Structure formats: structure tokens, C-alpha cells
Amino acid sequence: MSAATVSNSLAKFIDRALKVTTTDYFEAGHDPDWRSPCEIEVIGTEGKCHWKPVKQARPVDFAGLANALEAPIHEDIAAYYGSYWSGNFEARSFEGPVSLIQLWNDEDFERLIGNLIGHAIAKQRARQPFTVFFATTDPDSELFLSIDNESGKVLLEEPGRPPIKEVEQSVAAFLDRLTPLDVTPAIY
């Protein structure tokens, strides 16, 4: 897969997600100290905002993480996180519920990198290949979906354990088969 394929699949998923809304935008809680380029408007004093994914003018850069890990970051990972500023999306796959993690702003990217460094250290200690999480699954479990940094395959994982199974050959193929849901995104 190429980075363009991942970006195109994500764009198509976003189009499908917007079509299932009745408003052509999404709603989220508003935090004046946690702003995003994807925010369209703040809704009065209700503490909510309308948002719609917006292309990153300058895609986030994984060079620092690659340098810290002394290994390149798979282009599909960079394309997935480097395409849009966006809130998370709820979807369904034939395996079950999925909450796609997206980046809200630059600070969110910095937080992601910090989490990935901790994840990488845990993987090294367990002598497991490095993966990058991009989605959560059932809210009643700790299972998550990740992209294998070497192959780009989508894996189902549980914290601290080897991958449970391969879910899809690529993140683009996975995104192409998701059904977006018109529900407020939640982080599990």
C-alpha cells in the first residue's frame, strides 16, 4: 500500500461518515484550552462545538519517533495520522465496534508520540515487533487495533501481550470496509 492509498481510504471513510449525519458536521465537547483546526463553531455557552475533518496543511512528522526508535515509521502510519485534524469516529466492522483515533491538534500529536514511545519500550521489553495503535474496539475490553510497523498489517492486540490476530492486510483495506455510525465519538 502507499501513503496516498491510506489517505484516499480515510477521505472516503470521512465522506461516508458525513453522509450518515443529518448535519454534514459532527459535535463534540468544547474546551477553550484544547482548540482544533477542525472546529467550525462553538455552540453558545453549552460547552459544545461543531467540527468537520480538515486536511493537515503540513502533515505531522514522525521523524523524531523514527529517530528515537532507530527505525523508520511505516508510511501507512504516517499517512493515517498525517492526513486530517479530526475528532474520533465510531464505526462497525464485521468483527465488532471500532473507534478510530484521530488527531485533534498539534498537542494531541505530541501526546500520541509520548504514548507511542511508552508502547515501543513495552514492546522492546517483551521482544515483540513495534506496532502503532489507531483504534479501540469494544468499550468493555482493553483490545485495540494497531498497524504493524514492518508490514503495515492491521492487528488486534491486548496491552502487554503479543498480537492476537491479523485483522486486515492494510489499514486502507480496513478503512474501506468500515461502516460509519452516527453516534458521538467516545474514547474507550
Side-chain angles (χ1 to χ4, degrees), residues 117-161:
I117 289 171
H119 180 67
I121 290 168
K123 288 288 195 177
Q124 285 175 341
R125 286 184 182 144
R127 299 188 198 305
Q128 297 171 8
F130 179 58
T131 59
V132 173
F133 44 84
F134 75 98
T136 58
T137 61
D138 188 331
D140 295 326
S141 81
E142 291 186 339
L143 299 178
F144 61 92
L145 295 171
S146 64
I147 303 168
D148 180 77
N149 192 51
E150 287 188 28
S151 68
K153 293 178 180 179
V154 173
L155 306 172
L156 179 65
E157 293 194 70
E158 185 174 11
R161 302 203 180 269

Side-chain angles (χ1 to χ4, degrees), residues 39-78:
E39 290 177 291
I40 300 169
E41 71 175 322
V42 175
I43 307 167
T45 58
E46 299 173 32
K48 295 188 183 234
C49 72
H50 294 156
W51 63 272
K52 191 173 187 175
V54 62
K55 287 288 261 178
Q56 292 178 13
R58 197 178 73 241
V60 294
D61 187 356
F62 281 87
L65 180 62
N67 199 22
L69 299 177
E70 298 178 349
I73 301 302
H74 196 282
E75 66 179 344
D76 288 359
I77 295 165

